[in-house]
Amino acid sequence: MRSYQQYCGLAKALDVVGDRWTLLIVRELLIQDACRYTDLRDGLPGIATNLLARRLREMETAGLLTREEAPPPIATTLFRLTPRGRELKPILLLLGHWGAPLLSKLSRQDAFRTHWLSLPLEHHLVDRAPSLPPLIIELRTGDQSMTLETVAGKVKTRLGPASHPDAVLVGPHPLVFDCLTGKLELAQAVAAGLQYKGDPQFLSRIRKEPHPQPRTKPPSRRKGQPGRLS
Amino acid sequence: MRSYQQYCGLAKALDVVGDRWTLLIVRELLIQDACRYTDLRDGLPGIATNLLARRLREMETAGLLTREEAPPPIATTLFRLTPRGRELKPILLLLGHWGAPLLSKLSRQDAFRTHWLSLPLEHHLVDRAPSLPPLIIELRTGDQSMTLETVAGKVKTRLGPASHPDAVLVGPHPLVFDCLTGKLELAQAVAAGLQYKGDPQFLSRIRKEPHPQPRTKPPSRRKGQPGRLS
DNA sequence: CAGCATCCGCTTTGATACTG
DNA sequence: CAGTATCAAAGCGGATGCTG
């Protein structure tokens, strides 16, 4: 990117991360830690391959990431954020939070990768009952499943299914996301096509505000099946 | 900007504010509140006038700012951030802070406007002695002077000179900025060409860490003239 | 003068094809 | 797997001109 040439920290930051795709590449590396070129390309639907290669070079020069050549048995290049690059994480979280209201129904045909849920979910889910046994929730949406697990008052995410989840959410990703974050009440999400197995209380345990939109009268709670599911 | 078309809050945020110049326009409106077109153009050296007009239209459409047509006596258009636009402030502060280390000596020939100091200074200066009488510091650098004043444990900035400052800093903007934020110790800044009038203690009163880089032995404190200056 | 719109050359981006 | 090469389209920067 052409420099703004302004003596201003914000302008200097944008000189480095203001290019198209750059912050989304940082997103991928924040979520996936060590990425191969093809992992990145797969997590960035729409990017042209030459542009990805160019950005990776520029970001390496700028000190945002490093490129590790793995030795012959593995024989692949791994891209990883430097500490300086990882310092962008709080900014990405805030920006993502700022942009969340723009995820409307109109975005339903947008590309989606399950791992994109990781940062926003870890950012605004909590464990409101850390003294209870750990809670495990499996999400089945998008290109792969994802598991949420409460640890030390927080919610950690990882890719892949859970072996003994307390609850399972299955459905289109906008429903799963809105239901988890509390934008949609569970009953509304179920009415819209979400499948939920487990005790509904588990959901309110990890939402920051259990009833964020009491615009209409609060929907009546439905009993789920408590206990572990296989 | 062409949409990333990804179901991700960050990608949606970048769809709106990821265009070149957009966040710098937000910076201007955060600092100056109500701006005329020419104020904006002056605060954004390097922008092409047609591009500014286009961005303002797009940002109005996106709900970031409003355009007020002032009645005939004033006869000018005022641009102002909406609350939604103002929600970007913490993000800009973080990004500006992240970019601050990039403001090196190499940036000395970059364009500069005094009001750009406003956000970073208010962001990381504090009043470490709020029980003392208010402190007033005048900066003379860049295109106009700026006044710092302690209020309720914080430091507020405004453009223009102070009538009875406790201290005055005169010199090139990188020196004034580094000296205030503590990147440079006062003695170093003075040695580099900064003029400082007032008690050196006043500086450590508003810095978050009074001695941030004791790599070399701490420079000996020089006595200044305490008390008010005219 | 404030607030643009138009034109033109250059740079960046996007899409696709191809390679060690 | 990890890119490079090529080319068309879009975006940007700079100059200039127009309108109240």
Side-chain angles (χ1 to χ4, degrees):
Chain A
M1 164 171 288
R2 192 191 159 109
S3 169
Y4 287 109
Q5 303 204 108
Q6 297 186 357
Y7 193 88
C8 162
L10 176 65
K12 289 298 170 192
L14 293 174
D15 282 348
V16 174
V17 300
D19 269 314
R20 192 157 164 81
W21 293 107
T22 301
L23 283 181
L24 295 186
I25 295 174
V26 174
R27 173 194 72 189
E28 288 303 305
L29 290 168
L30 276 176
I31 299 175
Q32 314 227 17
D33 204 61
C35 279
R36 288 171 304 175
Y37 188 88
T38 35
D39 296 329
L40 288 169
R41 207 177 41 188
D42 198 67
L44 296 163
I47 199 173
T49 172
N50 58 346
L51 200 47
L52 176 56
R54 199 147 80 90
R55 287 286 179 272
L56 289 172
R57 253 180 285 132
E58 294 163 348
M59 293 168 70
E60 192 184 2
T61 305
L64 297 184
L65 56 80
T66 57
R67 164 191 316 250
E68 296 169 32
E69 299 290 345
I74 315 174
T76 185
T77 316
L78 288 182
F79 298 90
R80 206 185 293 266
L81 286 183
T82 61
R84 171 75 176 159
R86 229 169 289 121
E87 283 174 21
L88 288 166
K89 181 170 180 177
I91 297 167
L92 291 218
L93 291 177
L94 278 182
L95 248 184
H97 191 242
W98 186 87
L102 304 171
L103 290 172
S104 64
K105 290 127 240 163
L106 297 167
S107 322
R108 271 170 190 266
Q109 57 187 356
D110 286 350
F112 177 72
R113 299 291 181 274
T114 303
H115 69 266
W116 294 345
L117 293 175
S118 177
L119 287 178
L121 289 183
E122 293 195 358
H123 185 223
H124 68 244
L125 294 183
V126 290
D127 184 8
R128 300 152 63 84
S131 55
L132 294 183
L135 181 64
I136 297 175
I137 298 182
E138 179 175 328
L139 314 181
R140 290 186 201 146
T141 189
D143 52 328
Q144 50 190 325
S145 16
M146 167 170 270
T147 298
L148 311 184
E149 185 167 5
T150 61
V151 177
K154 300 196 169 193
V155 172
K156 291 290 170 192
T157 64
R158 64 174 175 78
L159 282 176
S163 44
H164 298 287
D166 299 293
V168 179
L169 282 79
V170 189
H173 52 268
L175 279 180
V176 172
F177 182 66
D178 289 352
C179 179
L180 282 168
T181 59
K183 188 180 166 189
L184 270 185
E185 208 42 69
L186 177 56
Q188 300 173 277
V190 168
L194 182 85
Q195 297 171 49
Y196 184 87
K197 289 190 265 184
D199 188 334
Q201 297 289 348
F202 291 154
L203 268 192
S204 39
R205 172 168 163 189
I206 58 172
R207 285 179 180 168
K208 271 188 180 154
E209 316 86 13
H211 301 291
Q213 333 193 96
R215 291 171 193 165
T216 63
K217 59 182 174 185
S220 63
R221 296 214 151 257
R222 301 172 60 183
K223 281 191 185 166
Q225 312 97 296
R228 302 251 163 185
L229 307 171
S230 64
Chain B
M1 163 172 290
R2 192 188 159 118
S3 169
Y4 287 107
Q5 302 203 111
Q6 297 185 358
Y7 192 87
C8 160
L10 176 64
K12 290 297 171 195
L14 292 174
D15 282 348
V16 175
V17 300
D19 269 315
R20 193 158 163 79
W21 292 107
T22 301
L23 283 182
L24 294 185
I25 294 173
V26 174
R27 173 194 70 187
E28 289 302 304
L29 291 167
L30 277 175
I31 299 175
Q32 313 226 17
D33 205 61
C35 281
R36 290 171 304 174
Y37 186 87
T38 36
D39 297 330
L40 288 169
R41 205 177 42 188
D42 198 65
L44 297 163
I47 198 175
T49 172
N50 59 342
L51 200 47
L52 176 55
R54 198 147 80 90
R55 287 290 178 269
L56 289 172
R57 250 180 286 130
E58 293 164 347
M59 293 168 71
E60 192 183 2
T61 305
L64 297 184
L65 55 80
T66 57
R67 158 192 322 250
E68 297 169 30
E69 300 289 344
I74 314 173
T76 185
T77 317
L78 287 183
F79 299 90
R80 208 183 294 264
L81 285 182
T82 61
R84 172 76 177 156
R86 229 167 289 118
E87 283 173 21
L88 289 166
K89 181 170 180 176
I91 296 166
L92 292 216
L93 291 179
L94 278 183
L95 249 185
H97 191 242
W98 186 88
L102 305 171
L103 290 171
S104 64
K105 292 125 237 166
L106 297 168
S107 322
R108 273 171 186 263
Q109 59 188 353
D110 286 350
F112 176 73
R113 299 292 182 272
T114 301
H115 70 266
W116 292 345
L117 293 174
S118 177
L119 287 179
L121 289 183
E122 292 194 359
H123 184 225
H124 66 243
L125 293 184
V126 291
D127 185 8
R128 300 153 63 84
S131 54
L132 294 183
L135 182 62
I136 297 174
I137 297 182
E138 181 176 325
L139 314 180
R140 291 186 200 145
T141 190
D143 53 327
Q144 50 190 324
S145 14
M146 165 169 272
T147 298
L148 311 186
E149 187 168 3
T150 62
V151 178
K154 300 194 169 195
V155 172
K156 291 290 171 192
T157 63
R158 63 175 176 77
L159 283 175
S163 43
H164 299 288
D166 298 294
V168 180
L169 282 79
V170 189
H173 53 268
L175 278 180
V176 171
F177 182 66
D178 288 351
C179 180
L180 283 168
T181 60
K183 189 178 164 192
L184 269 186
E185 207 44 67
L186 178 55
Q188 300 173 278
V190 168
L194 182 83
Q195 297 171 50
Y196 184 84
K197 289 190 267 186
D199 187 335
Q201 297 287 349
F202 292 154
L203 268 191
S204 40
R205 174 169 165 187
I206 56 173
R207 286 179 180 165
K208 272 187 179 160
E209 316 88 12
H211 302 290
Q213 332 192 97
R215 291 173 195 164
T216 63
K217 57 182 174 184
S220 63
R221 296 215 151 256
R222 301 172 56 185
K223 281 191 185 168
Q225 314 96 299
R228 303 251 164 186
L229 308 170
S230 66

